[in-house]
Amino acid sequence: MKQIFALVDCNNFYASCERVFNPGLQGKPVIVLSNNDGCVVARSDEAKALKIAMGVPAFEIADIIEKNHVQVFSSNYALYDDMSSRVMDTLSTFSPDIEIYSIDEAFLNLAGLSCSLTHYGQKIRQTVGKWTGMPVSIGIAQTKTLAKTANYIAKHFDKTQGVLDLTDSTCLDRALAKTPVEKIWGVGIKTAVKLKRAGIDNALKLRDTDAAWVRQRFTVTGERTVYELRGCVCYQLEQNPPTRKTLVVSRMFSTSIEAVEALKEAIAAYACRAGERLRKEHLAAGAITVFVATSRFVKNRYYNCRTTRFDVATNNTTELIRNACKSIETLYRKGAAFKKCGVVLSDLVPENRIQPNLFDNTDRQKSARLMRTIDTVNAAMDCPLRWAAEGLNQPWKLKFHRRSPRYTTRWDEIPKVV
């Protein structure tokens, strides 16, 4: 059966999440800042119109914010993650074949529909808006790359009303001609520069370029992009993505750390979060790498890391914290003002396929029961259990001075009607 891909993409996802529970933000410029309220990571269309760039530090645009009454928010990841789940659950009612591509994007398989694809796309768009409050754009085509291209056009041209079906060949060439080469799915910045130097500045020209020439200069990935633009499926729907190879938990500190005790508290907190994520995904780690770093702007910058292998792959928080803190003792440098640290878990395996060790005397079943109990309590309580190694005051903890309420995940922060 001929495949039909639909890419559903939430418009300005973080900013739109903020607007769902605060209708007063409609029509106003909205930006969302990164950890510690550092740089811009999301913008509404109104903020984009003010020429606010992605990644710009907040202090550099303070005048623009004040002059134009820009609404500024700290990142609210609990809200964004839950809103993403609601959108994806809604999309799954329209097709059993769904690939969650990112927090705000998903591919659907619409093959076999007898109705108008454009009308079906509008129905999806209206339902997601009604059920979740999130605005979405939808691109429909024979391949993922073409669906991405259709989505780009649907998002930037009002005439499409948020949905574009490129299975109709009459508008395909016009759509490809309107798509800059740097906006093609899979084309990076460096590749786009090289293509433009060769006179290929839009998707139509890339589609009509000799595939062998593209492969010679841009590897097989570039060749696949050409064939995808021609309607040949090279990338299938991934309903069961491959198991991740690594897991990283790392944050910048709100204030620099010089004491080894504070650095151990931070790495213990990150190891704890890493353990929770491992167990949530039913994985175990065969090795842990701990890294520390000072600010890159200081004169004598310091960066170092240390890797420890486990005799038996584990997702036990106690083991992760113990080994992470031992690494800090080795990596710590007196007098250094540390600005960041983190843990990288590697050699990940499914927790039901852990290879035992003949000399391992740890009660793994008891350990697993303890971790399950802690995770259950933390999931049910607003004030979760914490490990003593994480510390109490945590002056290094991320700052969210402008964070909105976590409307959908905290009973004490649900919207109030007055």
Side-chain angles (χ1 to χ4, degrees):
M1 181 184 295
K2 186 178 180 180
Q3 298 191 64
I4 301 295
F5 296 92
L7 176 65
V8 184
D9 183 13
C10 299
N11 301 338
N12 309 318
F13 181 64
Y14 287 0
S16 294
C17 286
E18 299 293 348
R19 283 175 163 169
V20 169
F21 296 96
N22 190 350
L25 296 175
Q26 296 294 338
K28 297 180 180 179
V30 177
I31 62 173
V32 178
L33 303 179
S34 61
N35 294 331
N36 292 315
D37 297 341
C39 302
V40 176
V41 294
R43 308 158 294 164
S44 66
D45 289 334
E46 296 80 4
K48 294 175 184 177
L50 296 174
K51 307 298 182 183
I52 296 177
M54 281 287 286
V56 64
F59 71 87
E60 290 187 6
I61 57 172
D63 292 342
I64 298 177
I65 291 174
E66 182 177 0
K67 180 179 178 181
N68 297 279
H69 305 289
V70 178
Q71 306 299 303
V72 183
F73 294 90
S74 303
S75 297
N76 190 342
Y77 297 118
L79 174 65
Y80 306 154
D81 183 64
D82 188 69
M83 291 300 294
S84 174
S85 296
R86 293 172 185 234
V87 170
M88 300 308 165
D89 288 343
T90 303
L91 294 178
S92 65
T93 65
F94 288 94
S95 174
D97 301 328
I98 179 172
E99 174 190 340
I100 300 175
Y101 183 66
S102 68
I103 191 172
D104 62 344
E105 293 177 283
F107 286 102
L108 303 179
N109 181 12
L110 302 185
L113 289 177
S114 57
C115 62
S116 165
L117 292 175
T118 299
H119 290 163
Y120 197 71
Q122 289 293 350
K123 183 179 179 181
I124 294 174
R125 190 168 183 263
Q126 292 164 8
T127 303
V128 172
K130 183 178 180 180
W131 291 7
T132 70
M134 296 297 296
V136 299
S137 297
I138 302 175
I140 304 171
Q142 297 96 329
T143 69
K144 283 185 172 182
T145 303
L146 283 174
K148 270 277 193 176
T149 301
N151 186 277
Y152 171 80
I153 300 295
K155 184 174 292 188
H156 292 87
F157 291 87
D158 295 336
K159 187 177 179 180
T160 64
Q161 297 183 325
V163 178
L164 179 61
D165 174 19
L166 286 187
T167 59
D168 180 3
S169 59
T170 58
C171 63
L172 178 58
D173 285 1
R174 285 204 313 272
L176 294 179
K178 289 181 179 179
T179 306
V181 69
E182 65 271 16
K183 297 298 182 180
I184 301 173
W185 189 43
V187 175
I189 296 176
K190 293 182 178 180
T191 300
V193 171
K194 294 178 181 178
L195 287 170
K196 287 182 178 180
R197 287 174 181 169
I200 304 170
D201 58 0
N202 62 46
L204 181 63
K205 292 181 180 179
L206 181 59
R207 183 199 68 180
D208 296 337
T209 301
D210 180 61
W213 179 89
V214 173
R215 178 172 184 147
Q216 183 180 6
R217 289 163 176 76
F218 304 103
T219 72
V220 68
T221 302
E223 182 184 29
R224 287 173 180 165
T225 299
V226 172
Y227 282 120
E228 285 258 321
L229 291 173
R230 294 176 182 175
C232 302
V233 177
C234 296
Y235 301 105
Q236 299 289 340
L237 204 69
E238 292 186 6
Q239 295 177 263
N240 297 301
T243 303
R244 67 161 76 222
K245 302 298 182 182
T246 60
L247 190 155
V248 182
V249 178
S250 174
R251 297 287 187 276
M252 295 286 289
F253 303 137
S254 58
T255 57
S256 298
I257 290 178
E258 295 188 10
V260 66
E261 293 80 10
L263 196 58
K264 283 185 177 181
E265 288 182 0
I267 205 65
Y270 298 162
C272 182
R273 302 292 86 74
E276 292 170 352
R277 290 171 58 182
L278 276 179
R279 295 189 294 275
K280 184 177 181 180
E281 299 182 30
H282 305 290
L283 297 172
I288 180 172
T289 299
V290 174
F291 67 88
V292 296
T294 59
S295 171
R296 59 179 176 175
F297 301 108
V298 299
K299 184 177 180 180
N300 297 315
R301 187 188 181 195
Y302 173 67
Y303 172 88
N304 206 348
C305 64
R306 182 174 184 265
T307 299
T308 304
R309 299 197 62 82
F310 299 113
D311 293 330
V312 178
T314 183
N315 57 19
N316 183 290
T317 298
T318 303
E319 290 185 75
L320 297 177
I321 290 177
R322 180 170 62 248
N323 284 277
C325 289
K326 284 183 178 179
S327 294
I328 288 296
E329 294 174 358
T330 302
L331 300 173
Y332 177 74
R333 175 180 287 181
K334 188 175 181 180
F338 294 97
K339 194 62 179 175
K340 185 177 184 179
C341 75
V343 298
V344 181
L345 301 180
S346 54
D347 296 343
L348 304 187
V349 297
E351 62 181 1
N352 60 355
R353 297 182 185 176
I354 296 176
Q355 180 66 44
N357 186 301
L358 180 63
F359 303 101
D360 180 34
N361 56 11
T362 302
D363 189 339
R364 298 288 169 182
Q365 293 184 348
K366 180 179 179 181
S367 171
R369 289 197 300 270
L370 175 61
M371 293 300 106
R372 283 197 300 269
T373 301
I374 293 175
D375 290 341
T376 301
V377 172
N378 286 347
M381 296 176 60
D382 286 338
C383 299
L385 300 173
R386 281 178 23 195
W387 299 81
E390 297 181 64
L392 296 176
N393 296 325
Q394 299 184 338
W396 42 267
K397 194 173 182 180
L398 291 174
K399 297 295 188 289
F400 299 98
H401 295 303
R402 299 171 181 263
R403 186 173 65 187
S404 57
R406 290 159 288 185
Y407 299 105
T408 62
T409 57
R410 297 274 299 216
W411 284 107
D412 58 338
E413 296 182 18
I414 61 175
K416 298 178 176 63
V417 179
V418 294

